[in-house]
Amino acid sequence: MKAIIIGGKNNYKDGVFDLIAEDGEHLASHYCSGASYAEGDLYKNRPERKKKFDKKGITEFVWLEDSGITNEELLKRNKEWYKKSQKNEP
């Protein structure tokens, strides 16, 4: 499964970057000083997150613009994932 980085691959300004699984689950957010730091801040330098991602079966990390998925489609998947997760809560 892929995880998709949102925030703009060519963003040289600071801002929030998000990591969302291709099934729509939001995995992480981090305020970064630019896109060049996002990968490290979201997963490469985070061993605790790597364990979580391994358990989920995430093997690939890509930028949204390289994912083949539109922003609208990913948002739709996120909404669907959220609805399903709410039904599974006790």
Side-chain angles (χ1 to χ4, degrees):
M1 178 184 303
K2 280 187 239 187
I4 300 158
I5 305 168
I6 299 176
K9 177 170 134 177
N10 296 312
N11 181 6
Y12 299 105
K13 297 179 182 177
D14 57 342
V16 176
F17 290 78
D18 293 288
L19 190 63
I20 300 178
E22 68 184 332
D23 69 358
E25 180 181 0
H26 182 268
L27 302 169
S29 290
H30 196 86
Y31 188 88
C32 306
S33 56
S36 62
Y37 297 103
E39 292 179 40
D41 291 343
L42 288 168
Y43 66 91
K44 281 186 178 178
N45 301 329
R46 306 295 292 265
E48 74 283 2
R49 289 186 181 167
K50 285 182 179 182
K51 288 179 186 178
K52 175 184 171 185
F53 301 155
D54 287 347
K55 287 179 185 175
K56 186 160 177 59
I58 295 171
T59 58
E60 183 180 2
F61 297 86
V62 297
W63 289 93
L64 178 62
E65 51 265 43
D66 298 332
S67 71
I69 300 171
T70 65
N71 191 44
E72 293 77 16
E73 175 61 26
L74 192 58
L75 180 60
K76 178 182 170 189
R77 292 179 188 188
N78 177 254
K79 288 178 181 179
E80 290 170 358
W81 181 89
Y82 182 77
K83 285 179 189 176
K84 287 179 191 174
S85 71
Q86 294 301 299
K87 289 179 184 177
N88 293 333
E89 285 190 4

